[in-house]
Amino acid sequence: MSNIKFSSLFVLFFLLAQAAHCQPAWQWAAAGPVDTTGFPPFAWHASDAAGNLVVAGYFSGRMTLGSYTLQGAGQSNLFVARLSATGQWTQAIEVAGASHTDFYGLAVALDSNGDAIVGGSFASASITLGSFTLPNARAGQLDGFVARLSAAGQWVQAVRVGGSSNDEVVAVALEPNGTCVVAGNFGGAGIQLGSTSFTNRSPGGAGSDIFVAWLDRAGQWTQAVAAGGHDSDQVRALARRSTGELAIGGSFLGYDISFGNQTVRNVSAGHTDIFVARLTSTGQWTQATAAGGFFDEGLSTVSFDGNGQVVATGNFASSTCNFGSTTLLSSTGRTFVARLAAGQWTQAQSINGLGIGAAQAAGNGDVLVAGPLASLR
């Protein structure tokens, strides 16, 4: 049986060398950015085959990364920076909005050319990325964005995502040809992605639905699918397998949620359960599975292992949380790691900690997780 391994993480950026039958060893550690407010910004990262790292996050005030100093203009500013394989800062770019910008959510991917694809959401009247200015359809509400930063540090593409209500870009993944797969949420009446439009399924657009869409190198939406129910549904994670198959994970509040002809039900109305759904590279939903208890559950990450099984992590507030035939008890922890095979939960473990910040299923089926450490069982 594959193993689930746990480790604590308290440095921001790291490379862990791991070889079969060898003791893992830290390669290097770079000081994480700290802004003049005294708080470290949240950061997301992606790496290439050579070990170079792209990091994106938020900051306010002034922030220093090696020899680079960034001066923010708003309450929350976006930064994108690069670290060499030896842990040296080689690039740092900042993005501010037209006024007091608030950035929300962030996702990063790195393509074979060294371009960094950054996705997220903004609430200001507009944001400017190099020569691209993206207006918000309704300032104060969230609009999403997807932007491409070249290896030389130039913004070469920026696309706005959204309508007149709150819309988010939550996760991105890359196909070998450079097409970016984007996952997010949309509120209000609906959303338009290229020539494809979706209507929000929640009454009056009061809740949110989910979208997955494909954006090519030219900045054109080539296909898109949606999913949802009659209340608030939120995607929180996206993973792509080498075959092109995708997995998304998140939470849903209503009685049920549908992914094409796949429908799963909530254990308790009025509280969130988690879902994991799979779809093909052509946008066909093939599986959907739920888990939960009688209070709120949330999902943090999804990833594929070497056998194509999906590993999901998250947290639960219920005294018991059911993953198929496995029931987790809050007395042993409120954070979970669980595995899906052919749409069925086959493993689930709870952790007595504060939550999981990152998780990745390895090719041999092991799962490596990291997060803040309170206690561990």
Side-chain angles (χ1 to χ4, degrees):
M1 180 179 291
S2 300
N3 299 315
I4 298 176
K5 301 178 179 180
F6 306 108
S7 61
S8 63
L9 175 66
F10 59 92
V11 297
L12 285 179
F13 312 115
F14 66 93
L15 283 181
L16 181 63
Q18 180 174 329
H21 311 299
C22 294
Q23 180 69 28
W26 295 104
Q27 299 272 288
W28 53 262
V34 176
D35 61 30
T36 53
T37 65
F39 296 98
F42 296 103
W44 287 257
H45 73 274
S47 60
D48 63 18
N52 300 301
L53 199 66
V54 173
V55 179
Y58 321 122
F59 73 101
S60 59
R62 187 175 67 253
M63 185 176 69
T64 299
L65 300 166
S67 61
Y68 299 91
T69 298
L70 306 181
Q71 182 65 56
Q75 294 176 346
S76 176
N77 305 275
L78 167 68
F79 75 90
V80 183
R82 294 179 189 259
L83 277 161
S84 71
T86 58
Q88 303 300 309
W89 295 104
T90 60
Q91 189 184 89
I93 309 292
E94 64 181 289
V95 178
S99 58
H100 295 293
T101 306
D102 287 319
F103 285 98
Y104 297 87
L106 208 57
V108 184
L110 193 62
D111 72 11
S112 58
N113 295 330
D115 291 353
I117 290 77
V118 182
S121 307
F122 65 101
S124 68
S126 66
I127 57 171
T128 299
L129 303 102
S131 61
F132 302 93
T133 297
L134 304 180
N136 194 321
R138 184 180 176 185
Q141 301 281 349
L142 290 180
D143 267 0
F145 71 91
V146 181
R148 189 181 296 262
L149 183 70
S150 72
Q154 302 297 316
W155 294 105
V156 296
Q157 186 184 94
V159 177
R160 186 183 69 85
V161 181
S164 60
S165 189
N166 285 319
D167 308 292
E168 301 175 279
V169 169
V170 175
V172 297
L174 281 171
E175 296 185 344
N177 64 1
T179 292
C180 182
V181 184
V182 182
N185 308 303
F186 65 97
I191 193 171
Q192 181 88 23
L193 296 164
S195 60
T196 305
S197 61
F198 299 108
T199 300
N200 193 330
R201 302 180 189 184
S202 63
S208 56
D209 275 0
I210 293 160
F211 72 86
V212 179
W214 285 253
L215 185 71
D216 66 16
R217 278 189 175 277
Q220 302 298 314
W221 298 105
T222 59
Q223 63 179 2
V225 295
H230 294 285
D231 212 310
S232 290
D233 312 303
Q234 300 279 324
V235 65
R236 285 292 169 241
L238 167 70
R240 183 184 183 276
R241 195 180 175 193
S242 59
T243 60
E245 185 183 17
L246 301 168
I248 66 168
S251 62
F252 65 108
L253 182 60
Y255 177 74
D256 59 21
I257 183 172
S258 295
F259 301 84
N261 61 5
Q262 310 281 325
T263 298
V264 293
R265 293 185 176 181
N266 196 319
V267 172
S268 63
H271 295 281
T272 58
D273 274 3
I274 69 159
F275 68 82
V276 176
R278 295 171 75 139
L279 66 163
T280 66
S281 60
T282 57
Q284 303 299 311
W285 298 106
T286 59
Q287 284 178 9
T289 309
F294 288 99
F295 289 100
D296 291 325
E297 277 67 62
L299 184 139
S300 302
T301 71
V302 292
S303 58
F304 284 103
D305 67 16
N307 297 318
Q309 299 176 1
V310 177
V311 174
T313 69
N315 56 79
F316 62 98
S318 306
S319 58
T320 61
C321 187
N322 298 313
F323 294 83
S325 60
T326 301
T327 298
L328 301 183
L329 305 178
S330 62
S331 59
T332 61
R334 294 184 180 271
T335 299
F336 69 81
V337 181
R339 193 187 306 269
L340 272 167
Q344 303 296 316
W345 297 106
T346 59
Q347 284 182 334
Q349 282 191 326
S350 58
I351 310 169
N352 189 9
L354 297 178
I356 293 175
Q360 181 63 51
N364 64 355
D366 288 354
V367 182
L368 306 178
V369 300
L373 179 64
S375 60
L376 197 60
R377 295 178 186 172

